[in-house]
Amino acid sequence: MECERVTTVLPWLFNGSLEAEERSQVESHLASCPACRKELRDTAVAWAATGAHPPPEVISDYGLGLEITGFPRDVLEAHLADCPSCEREAAIVLADGDEETLQGVPPEVPSSPSLSPSPSPSPSPGTSWRGWPALALAASLTAIALGGTLLWQAVKPEVPHANLAIIELFPLNAQTRGPDSEVLKLSREGPAAIVLMPGEHSVGERYRVTLRTSEGREVWFLDDIELSEVGDVALLLPTDALPEGVLGLELQVHFEGGWKNVAEYAVVVGQ
Amino acid sequence: MTFGDGSQQGLGRPSDLRLVEGLLAGDSRSVEEVRRWVRGSASGYRRFLANELDDLEQEILLSLMTSLSEGGFRHECSLKTFVRRMVHNSCIDLMRAAGRRQWINVDDLDLAGDETRVIEALSLEQESVLALRIAASLSKACRDLWRMIHQGLSYEEMAARTGASRGALRVRVLRCRRKAVEERDRLLEEKIKKRSNAPASPSTGSEMEP
């Protein structure tokens, strides 16, 4: 195995997802190649940095409104704005057993990393809590009946097995959920919907959703979607008319006289 | 540490003093009152730690007793705040442990020297600030890619999710990794510079001067 190949697969050596044969080739190469061992050490830096979280005491003190000692507050708040699991921990501490506040705590669904995210039009750092009302709604969404009727039930905080994708419009960035994974997977069999769930920040804004093929060809779009605070917007997609495969979904907001990108997602249209 | 909850540091509220005394004497009413606090604060974790919560409640009460008997509660805050903090720390610890994946053991890679200690070093509590600063310096796209790696996704799965080719994806991840290393080096250099520029403290000043 060549050094170049070894270097590029090292992150997956750490997460244990390499196939047995590939892993064995990488390991035997590492044993005899000092340069690649240096690469391994560098990979360890990125692995440790991107997997780090503030200690539980820091999260507890922050959530309880106590003074945080020995840990920079800016580092903590930047992390909370970016890490759904730590944000959830801090939210639970903040609720401190209060049932009503706990309703707004994000459920245990990992956020979906987008394809090439761009910042929301006017991000307000440190205010990610504002998105929780939308999360509470998402948690209570269990089914959607297409054809004009939305059915809501406040039960388990799980995303339903429906031909449905949800985009939550947060103050800082848009997040997505698919029926059974983080990527938006939609079947061509039967109608499908994308639900836009506004956060406080996105109410009153005008949005545009565009679906494009990997070559950039526009296959579907909907303009001037105005979000109000009284409900969410379900966009019915003509899935039977969409090409199969991976499409790019662009979410844009009308801002300062033009359409600005909020986020992009991969939408897999399959059978 | 300032808690700002009205307690008089070092003296203790009379109600807390009575409660601590009752707990240490095994008074059932005192135990019940504190148990209610524990249950209240822990209830937010029920949907994540449903099966473990009862055992954890007992463990927290035991730790609390030990801490009280060893003088761990120094009345810097109210007893209730002390208990709530203990509950949240324990629950977050357990929630993190429950969600932790079994990663490859780096020691199994049989590498010489200190190379295997890099992860441990950055995982240490005192280094977590450095680690988080490095992560914060990366673009969101980079953090998202590495988050997927931490979620245990293979590069094939990641390529499918992002719509990139496998080769392009691996190179993108490699670039992010290089940025992380550069930032680590920059931060460490900055730290060293700061230390060498910092005025010597009165107690060590004479020793530092040539």
Side-chain angles (χ1 to χ4, degrees), chain A residues 241-254:
Chain A
L242 296 176
E244 254 183 71
V246 180
L247 298 177
L249 185 148
E250 263 176 27
L251 181 66
Q252 293 173 305
V253 67
H254 199 262

Side-chain angles (χ1 to χ4, degrees), chain B residues 5-178:
Chain B
D5 59 359
S7 66
Q8 284 179 288
Q9 188 168 332
L11 295 173
R13 296 171 170 186
S15 56
D16 282 354
L17 291 171
R18 277 197 301 275
L19 206 49
V20 171
E21 208 176 287
L23 285 169
L24 292 176
D27 170 51
S28 58
R29 272 195 298 189
S30 304
V31 174
E32 266 322 296
E33 174 147 16
V34 172
R35 193 187 291 277
R36 267 201 306 276
W37 295 347
V38 173
R39 279 198 187 142
S41 290
S43 65
Y45 300 89
R46 189 154 293 283
R47 71 186 202 226
F48 304 101
L49 301 170
N51 300 328
E52 290 117 310
L53 219 50
D54 291 340
D55 288 345
L56 189 66
E57 184 185 306
Q58 283 305 112
E59 277 172 34
I60 291 169
L61 283 171
L62 278 173
S63 305
L64 178 67
M65 294 299 200
T66 310
S67 182
L68 292 177
S69 62
E70 290 173 353
F73 175 53
R74 292 191 294 272
H75 299 278
E76 290 167 334
C77 60
S78 71
L79 182 63
K80 190 170 184 181
T81 300
F82 185 76
V83 171
R84 286 155 73 203
R85 192 171 184 266
M86 199 175 226
V87 172
H88 289 299
N89 289 348
S90 306
C91 288
I92 292 174
D93 246 347
L94 193 62
M95 205 158 79
R96 288 184 180 183
R100 203 165 290 146
R101 290 166 190 277
Q102 291 301 309
W103 303 119
I104 189 168
N105 185 353
V106 185
D107 292 335
D108 289 348
L109 297 176
D110 196 24
L111 297 173
D114 60 358
E115 291 166 345
T116 58
R117 298 195 195 108
V118 178
I119 300 178
E120 289 162 35
L122 272 181
S123 306
L124 286 174
E125 198 170 311
Q126 64 266 35
E127 297 299 337
S128 67
V129 174
L130 173 65
L132 292 175
R133 282 197 196 281
I134 296 170
S137 75
L138 300 175
S139 67
K140 187 172 184 318
C142 277
R143 289 197 300 271
D144 284 343
L145 284 175
W146 274 88
R147 188 171 292 150
M148 284 195 249
I149 296 172
H150 278 276
Q151 285 167 357
L153 298 189
S154 67
Y155 57 76
E156 287 95 344
E157 288 168 323
M158 285 174 62
R161 284 190 184 197
T162 58
S165 73
R166 285 183 285 185
L169 174 92
R170 290 200 303 255
V171 170
R172 216 183 279 175
V173 170
L174 184 66
R175 280 200 207 115
C176 297
R177 192 209 73 179
R178 286 189 178 142

Side-chain angles (χ1 to χ4, degrees), chain A residues 5 7-9 11-15 17-18 22-23 27 37 39-57 59-61 64 66-67 69 71-72 74-75 79 82-84 86 88-89 92-93 96-97 102 105-108 110-111 113-115 117 173 182-183 266, chain B residues 1-3 40-41 43-45 47-48 81 84-85 88-89 92-93 95-96 103-104 106 108-109 111-112 114-115 118-119 122-123 125 128-129 131-135 138 140-141 143-144 146-155 158 160-163 169-174 177-178 180-181 184:
Chain A
R5 164 86 183 170
T7 305
T8 61
V9 298
W12 293 276
L13 179 67
F14 278 85
N15 81 1
S17 70
L18 290 183
E22 191 172 20
R23 179 182 162 176
E27 284 180 11
R37 286 209 301 277
E39 296 288 341
L40 180 71
R41 190 173 57 200
D42 286 353
T43 307
V45 172
W47 170 262
T50 52
H53 301 280
E57 312 84 76
I59 301 269
S60 295
D61 288 353
L64 289 170
L66 306 176
E67 186 186 336
T69 49
F71 203 94
D74 62 323
V75 174
H79 181 78
D82 185 58
C83 174
C86 287
R88 184 173 52 239
E89 289 168 4
I92 298 173
V93 178
D96 195 35
L102 281 168
V105 173
E108 200 173 16
S111 68
S114 58
L115 267 178
N173 60 342
E182 297 141 56
V183 74
Chain B
M1 190 181 283
T2 311
F3 289 92
S41 290
S43 65
Y45 300 89
R47 71 186 202 226
F48 304 101
T81 300
R84 286 155 73 203
R85 192 171 184 266
H88 289 299
N89 289 348
I92 292 174
D93 246 347
M95 205 158 79
R96 288 184 180 183
W103 303 119
I104 189 168
V106 185
D108 289 348
L109 297 176
L111 297 173
D114 60 358
E115 291 166 345
V118 178
I119 300 178
L122 272 181
S123 306
E125 198 170 311
S128 67
V129 174
L132 292 175
R133 282 197 196 281
I134 296 170
L138 300 175
K140 187 172 184 318
R143 289 197 300 271
D144 284 343
W146 274 88
R147 188 171 292 150
M148 284 195 249
I149 296 172
H150 278 276
Q151 285 167 357
L153 298 189
S154 67
Y155 57 76
M158 285 174 62
R161 284 190 184 197
T162 58
L169 174 92
R170 290 200 303 255
V171 170
R172 216 183 279 175
V173 170
L174 184 66
R177 192 209 73 179
R178 286 189 178 142
V181 173
R184 192 267 320 254

Side-chain angles (χ1 to χ4, degrees), chain A residues 70-174:
Chain A
F71 203 94
R73 202 178 179 90
D74 62 323
V75 174
L76 172 66
E77 288 181 343
H79 181 78
L80 287 175
D82 185 58
C83 174
S85 58
C86 287
E87 188 192 21
R88 184 173 52 239
E89 289 168 4
I92 298 173
V93 178
L94 180 75
D96 195 35
D98 177 68
E99 286 301 324
E100 202 176 318
T101 315
L102 281 168
Q103 293 296 313
V105 173
E108 200 173 16
V109 177
S111 68
S112 168
S114 58
L115 267 178
S116 54
S118 40
S120 132
S122 50
S124 13
T127 55
S128 56
W129 313 93
R130 281 202 252 151
W132 291 356
L135 278 169
L137 286 172
S140 66
L141 175 64
T142 57
I144 181 168
L146 295 171
T149 313
L150 286 172
L151 176 65
W152 296 83
Q153 290 177 357
V155 278
K156 282 181 74 183
E158 285 177 3
V159 176
H161 287 276
N163 208 14
L164 172 72
I166 301 168
I167 298 178
E168 294 160 358
L169 302 168
F170 272 41
L172 293 174
N173 60 342

